Amino acid sequence: MANRRKWILTAAGLGALVVIVILTIPIALTPGLRAKLTAALEERFDADVELESLRVSMLPRLRVAGTGVVLRHRGRTDVPPLIAIPSFSAEATLWGLLGEPLRLSRVHLEGLEINIPPGGMSIDDKEKPDDEPVKKTDPKAPPPPDPPQTDATAGKSPLIVEDLLSERAVLNILRREPDKAPRIFEIAHLSMQHVGANDPWPFRAELTNPTPPGRIAVQGTFGPWNAGEPSHTPLAAKYEFRDADLGVFKGIRGILQSDGAFDGVLERIEVDGTADVPEFALDAAGQPIHLATKFSAVVDGTNGNTWLRPVNATLGESPILANGGVVEKDGEDGRTITLDIVMSDARIEDVLRLAVKGAEPPMTGALELKTSFLLPPGDRDAIEKLHLNGSFTVASGRFAKGSVQAKMNELSQKARGEGNSGDPAEQVVSNFNGRFVMKNGAIHFSSLTFGVPGAKVNLAGTYALRSEALDFRGTVRLDAKLSELTTGVKSFLLKAIDPLVRRKDVTVIPITVRGTAQKPDFGLDMKRAFTPK
């Protein structure tokens, strides 16, 4: 009995000792772990680290929790911190906490906020004199060069997180001008493995794109973190961009879907992908058309500037080749799109669907086009702020409306001196070419040439995209004499006028074109017709 009592007392003593050990281990571990974690974060991210509180618990398993984690650029308190974590919790083993490196098996972050400094600006840039010139960003300038190769994995990492999980995090891309709001990406879910290791860190993320608004899912690798040059930190991933509403840009409609892959470093990310807008439209006309693109681009992830090299697009059935950039210029709030566009073996009807109202485009034909494209930022409608400058040719054009095509057939017959003797079933084709500038919602044609067999029209003037109003002046040149365009008494009377408008075996008639694209109004410019030149 005594032995039994002795054994019970011994067991109770051992149990009490275990409880005491369990209760005292966290107390013993906390100060050293706090210092160790702070030092590890400072070394791995080359940052000043603040840690408001830290606690360790042993039951039901070893856990670490803390609040107020802040990582700042060395010596900087006048800018937002690189990383801010209001609270975190982690699981670990005793050996993971005591050994080298510090190893946490699972970490959950609450309220993670990441602030990426503006690209092209070092920490010391704020110390430059106010009158020192600022380097302007040219949308057509080449993208950032490949960064010099640096050894981001030198030395043993002081901290490894086997599995990191964050919900509802925020990524802020800071602007160079402090009065500009940052670009904000809401990261709904982030899962990353082997964080802190000297090998790339696998990750998955789901986030919201700010402009145009849409959902992005990304899977790939990030890191290892380059503490000396954070913008040289490598990354590679595949992405899916879904349901991006282009209606956020005034004057444009459509829902965009995009898939692709990217790799590089933060300040120079090379992207290859596709984008599809099944019903792309401009509000001015409202006629949807399928727009599909395949693109290669270089993106500066620290500021969002993008250089397109190149974009191969298809509008309806028409191929488009574009090169250029989407860049935020200094002093502007928003990005300027600058492109050089070439359309070969294209169709004029595909372009007219965007610009002209009506279920069917007014003309069909083969299109060749070259133009510069400039779309500055701002709240104005896209049609109002878009600037184009180029030239085009339309071959074998035919008008969709039978009445208009019939008039073209008749004009061609009479212009050749055939009266109405030609084949009424003949469908003559029309050829267009011209130079144009589009700005402030109107297209200004410095030269517009339209020809059918026997006649040629030369015009200059303006077409307003919203109202479809026409305002042109020019000449019609006919192979036939004026008197040959009609019969009877009219023909006899016009013979007296033939010498006034006939030059070098060509009849030249000054005309005006007004009205609208749907109902053009052709008139004789009497003043010019009988003014000697």
Side-chain angles (χ1 to χ4, degrees), residues 352-366:
L352 292 177
R353 282 191 178 94
L354 285 179
V356 179
K357 298 175 183 177
E360 294 295 330
M363 177 181 244
T364 63

Side-chain angles (χ1 to χ4, degrees), residues 494-510:
L494 288 174
K495 286 184 178 179
I497 300 177
D498 278 340
L500 298 177
V501 296
R502 190 80 173 167
R503 302 186 183 95
K504 297 181 179 180
D505 296 326
V506 175
T507 299
V508 181
I509 306 173

Side-chain angles (χ1 to χ4, degrees), residues 2-306:
N3 290 335
R4 178 181 177 86
R5 216 173 10 250
K6 185 177 180 181
W7 181 86
I8 292 174
L9 290 173
T10 302
L14 289 174
L17 181 60
V18 170
V19 170
I20 292 172
V21 170
I22 291 174
L23 292 176
T24 57
I25 284 178
I27 299 173
L29 280 178
T30 299
L33 180 59
R34 180 190 181 105
K36 186 175 182 180
L37 178 60
T38 301
L41 289 172
E42 288 181 342
E43 179 182 344
R44 193 67 188 90
F45 293 96
D46 190 27
D48 293 331
V49 176
E50 301 170 14
L51 179 56
E52 183 179 89
S53 69
L54 184 76
R55 63 185 183 276
V56 180
S57 61
M58 293 290 292
L59 297 174
R61 56 186 177 274
L62 184 57
R63 293 178 62 86
V64 180
T67 62
V69 181
V70 176
L71 279 69
R72 295 185 180 277
H73 299 284
R74 291 286 189 186
R76 298 300 302 273
T77 58
D78 57 329
V79 294
L82 177 65
I83 297 173
I85 306 169
S87 64
F88 75 93
S89 60
E91 297 177 8
T93 65
L94 186 58
W95 177 248
L97 297 183
L98 298 176
E100 295 290 344
L102 175 61
R103 189 178 296 271
L104 304 176
S105 57
R106 182 181 293 268
V107 174
H108 187 271
L109 306 180
E110 292 287 349
L112 171 65
E113 181 178 330
I114 304 171
N115 295 288
I116 302 296
M121 182 181 74
S122 67
I123 294 175
D124 296 329
D125 283 344
K126 287 185 176 286
E127 308 302 326
K128 293 180 180 180
D130 293 337
D131 57 352
E132 183 169 330
V134 179
K135 183 180 179 180
K136 299 296 181 180
T137 303
D138 181 1
K140 288 191 175 182
D146 290 325
Q149 296 297 315
T150 57
D151 186 5
T153 64
K156 186 177 179 180
S157 174
L159 173 66
I160 304 291
V161 175
E162 296 295 348
D163 194 3
L164 181 145
L165 180 64
S166 173
E167 307 287 347
R168 295 176 295 280
V170 175
L171 170 64
N172 298 315
I173 306 296
L174 305 180
R175 305 297 187 96
R176 185 171 298 154
E177 294 85 354
D179 58 328
K180 288 186 178 180
R183 297 183 72 229
I184 301 173
F185 296 83
E186 296 180 357
I187 306 175
H189 174 81
L190 171 64
S191 174
M192 186 176 287
Q193 290 73 48
H194 310 310
V195 178
N198 287 337
D199 296 318
W201 313 338
F203 77 96
R204 290 175 179 266
E206 297 174 4
L207 61 153
T208 300
N209 191 66
T211 307
R215 297 177 290 106
I216 303 176
V218 188
Q219 179 179 354
T221 61
F222 178 84
W225 181 260
N226 190 320
E229 292 287 348
S231 63
H232 294 175
T233 299
L235 74 167
K238 295 181 179 179
Y239 75 88
E240 295 179 355
F241 188 15
R242 293 291 178 264
D243 303 326
D245 186 0
L246 301 182
V248 69
F249 304 113
K250 287 187 177 181
I252 297 177
R253 303 180 193 173
I255 302 297
L256 178 144
Q257 318 289 344
S258 180
D259 296 270
F262 57 85
D263 62 21
V265 297
L266 284 176
E267 72 175 24
R268 194 183 195 282
I269 306 170
E270 298 190 9
V271 186
D272 290 287
T274 61
D276 191 77
V277 187
E279 295 187 343
F280 179 74
L282 301 180
D283 286 343
Q287 296 301 314
I289 187 170
H290 186 195
L291 175 63
T293 64
K294 182 178 180 181
F295 60 88
S296 295
V298 176
V299 180
D300 186 338
T302 65
N303 58 26
N305 289 340
T306 302

